[in-house]
Each structure stands twice: as structure tokens, then as C-alpha cells.
Amino acid sequence: MYKLFFRLVFHRMDPEQAHHLAFRWIRLAVRVPVLRTFVAAALAPRHKELRTEALGLRMHGPFGLAAGFDKNAVAIDGMSMLGFDHVEIGTVTGEPQPGNPRKRLFRLVADRALINRMGFNNDGSLAVAARLASRTPVFRTVVGVNIGKTKVVPEEEAVADYVKSAERLAPYADYLVVNVSSPNTPGLRNLQATEALRPLLSAVREAADRVVPGRRVPLLG
């Protein structure tokens, strides 16, 4: 069914346009109580044997969605409805940014893969934090928050940029991820060096502990 639909519809569309269309359908489906119940029953059955505990967090299972798909925390329940046991949103940057110029998403049909050169396009940590604060969950799921450096922020100010995002987002995160691996933000991978990464992680750890004093938010890098 999907292969036929892909050949007839998605294959003819720009990959980013197809992503936004599918994303819109998922968000619409989860707003319809009967439909979301039916979809979740078919695609997200719960099995005791698959229950997983990691980072001190209990999850329905080990199958999670990595950052990059839901950059702005707008489809957490939709992805849970489709069967993801945890959803990692982002990457979110300190300030909103449009990302790299289009065309920036490329389809490799023969390899059933995509090349992603999006460049951390997102609404910024302030907007995403407000969205998470106002969220009323439909499905219970673990939510991770992936934070990165704003492109226009110079490398010497990167720590402050990450800390700003951590302060805003840690209260709504089951776990935090510091992203220093994307090749699409100039200079970002320089932060992987020990002399840069250690103070960065320490500062984010301190920020998370400061704004969430009653809970130690797990931190990954």
C-alpha cells in the first residue's frame, strides 16, 4: 500500500514538501479521538515484554524517534500514536532560524534513504518551550529535547547559547541532548574537542539543575 502511494504521490514531490504533507496528516489524525484510538491500537500496541528502562526513565518499549523529524515539538502525540515509545524533538537552537537555503533534503530512492542538509531550521527555544508548557498530552510518552548552537552565534559564545536553551527547555524534558555533531552548522564540530566539550556539558548540566531543582534531568552529548 505504502509503496504504491509513494510511487503515485510522494515520489513526484519535493522531499521536503512530502515531509510537511505527511507531517500535516499526522497532526490532523491525532486530533480526531476515534481515529487516533484506532491508529494507536493498530500501530502502537503495548506489550509488557517490551517495557524498557533507560536513564532512569520507564518507556513502553525501546523504539524511539530521533531528533530531526519533529523539530518544533508539534507532533509528539502524533508520533506516539504511530508507535514510537519515546520522541526526541529538535534540534532546537537558542534563537529561531530558517536553516539552510533550499534545496536541502535529497531522496536516494535506491538506498531507501535521505540526505539531510536542513541546518537546524526551527522556531527557537523560547517558542518551543512555550509550546511544551501548554501541551496537554494525549498519549504518555518520554520526550527528549535536543539542543544545538544558533548558526549566527560565534563559537566563543556557544556555551551561553546552549545554556539559554537548556534553561528554557529542561523543565519540559525527560532528557536533554547536546548536539555538537551536525555538519550543517559551521564550526559546530569544533565543540567536540575535549577542551570545548567539557565546559559546555558542565554549563548545561548546571543550568538544568538550576531550573529543575527537584529532578535531575538526564543529559546526553
Side-chain angles (χ1 to χ4, degrees), residues 15 42 51 55 61 91 132 135 138 161 164 195 207:
R51 288 178 183 172
L55 306 174
T91 294
L132 289 170
R135 175 175 173 255
V138 175
D161 191 55
K164 176 166 58 179
E195 61 272 16

Side-chain angles (χ1 to χ4, degrees), residues 95-117:
E95 301 298 329
Q97 59 184 26
N100 292 328
R102 299 188 184 190
K103 189 173 183 178
R104 55 194 183 181
L105 191 62
F106 306 89
R107 203 183 270 125
L108 303 178
V109 177
D111 298 312
R112 302 177 67 185
L114 293 169
I115 294 177
N116 167 7
R117 295 174 183 163

Side-chain angles (χ1 to χ4, degrees), residues 41-53:
L43 300 180
R46 305 303 188 190
H47 301 288
K48 291 182 179 180
E49 298 82 1
L50 294 178
R51 288 178 183 172
T52 302
E53 184 168 338

Side-chain angles (χ1 to χ4, degrees), residues 1 3 21 43 54 56 59 67 74 85 88 100 103-104 106 176 184 205 212 216 220:
M1 182 69 176
K3 289 182 178 179
L21 178 61
L43 300 180
M59 295 172 275
V74 296
D85 300 306
E88 187 174 310
N100 292 328
K103 189 173 183 178
R104 55 194 183 181
F106 306 89
L176 274 175
N184 296 311
R205 174 76 273 161
V212 192
R216 188 168 175 84
L220 305 173

